[in-house]
């Protein structure tokens, strides 16, 4: 069984869709400045092997933010390669910023997927991970 000692703390931005400011960067220069996610869109984000997350990690602790969404909606984070669940991790209204802490299981090819109901910029920071068995 796992205990709290099995959580490895890491920190860094792993996804940044905005490009209007040179400070909007990720820890490794990947997944940055790609622009807004369209309404109903799904963004695939590689998490393993980045920001010191082990390649065999099972799940990641994230801070996920919708920035200046075009209208009300939600974000759902789920393992890539699986069916999107009927649940929300972040609820938002148009404009502004809405963020939440998320524990996400890692899917195919070491990726998580993020669905958004309305067009929005996405910002995702990693705070830690749970290693594989």
């Amino acid at each position: 069984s796992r205990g709290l000692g099995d959580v490895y703390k890491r920190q860094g931005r792993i996804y940044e869709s905005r490009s209007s400011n040179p400070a909007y960067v990720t820890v490794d220069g990947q997944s940055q400045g790609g622009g807004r996610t369209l309404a109903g869109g799904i963004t695939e984000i590689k998490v393993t092997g980045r920001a010191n997350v082990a390649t065999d990690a099972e799940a990641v602790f994230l801070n996920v933010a919708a920035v200046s969404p075009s209208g009300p909606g939600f974000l759902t984070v789920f393992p890539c390669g699986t069916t999107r669940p009927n649940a929300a991790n972040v609820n938002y209204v148009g404009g502004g910023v809405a963020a939440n802490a998320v524990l996400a299981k890692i899917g195919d090819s070491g990726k998580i997927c993020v669905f958004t109901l309305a067009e929005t910029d996405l910002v995702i920071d990693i705070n830690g991970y749970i290693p594989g068995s």
Side-chain angles (χ1 to χ4, degrees):
S1 79
R2 297 200 173 164
L4 290 177
D6 292 322
V7 174
Y8 292 83
K9 294 181 182 176
R10 299 290 182 247
Q11 190 167 3
R13 181 142 302 158
I14 60 166
Y15 193 85
E16 171 62 83
S17 66
R18 303 170 296 175
S19 61
S20 59
N21 183 320
Y24 296 158
V25 296
T26 61
V27 294
D28 56 7
Q30 298 178 48
S31 301
Q32 67 184 36
R36 294 167 67 80
T37 301
L38 299 177
I42 295 176
T43 301
E44 293 187 8
I45 303 159
K46 175 83 167 164
V47 293
T48 59
R50 301 180 62 210
N52 295 315
V53 174
T55 56
D56 69 341
E58 290 187 20
V60 286
F61 294 96
L62 307 168
N63 186 53
V64 179
V67 180
S68 300
S70 62
F74 60 90
L75 300 176
T76 299
V77 182
F78 60 102
C80 288
T82 66
T83 302
R84 177 175 56 93
N86 189 21
N89 297 102
V90 178
N91 294 296
Y92 52 76
V93 296
V97 177
N100 201 9
V102 176
L103 172 60
K105 184 169 174 47
I106 299 169
D108 291 350
S109 301
K111 296 179 181 179
I112 58 159
C113 284
V114 181
F115 169 84
T116 182
L117 185 65
E119 180 179 300
T120 191
D121 274 308
L122 292 174
V123 177
I124 301 176
D125 296 333
I126 189 154
N127 296 312
Y129 72 92
I130 297 173
S133 49

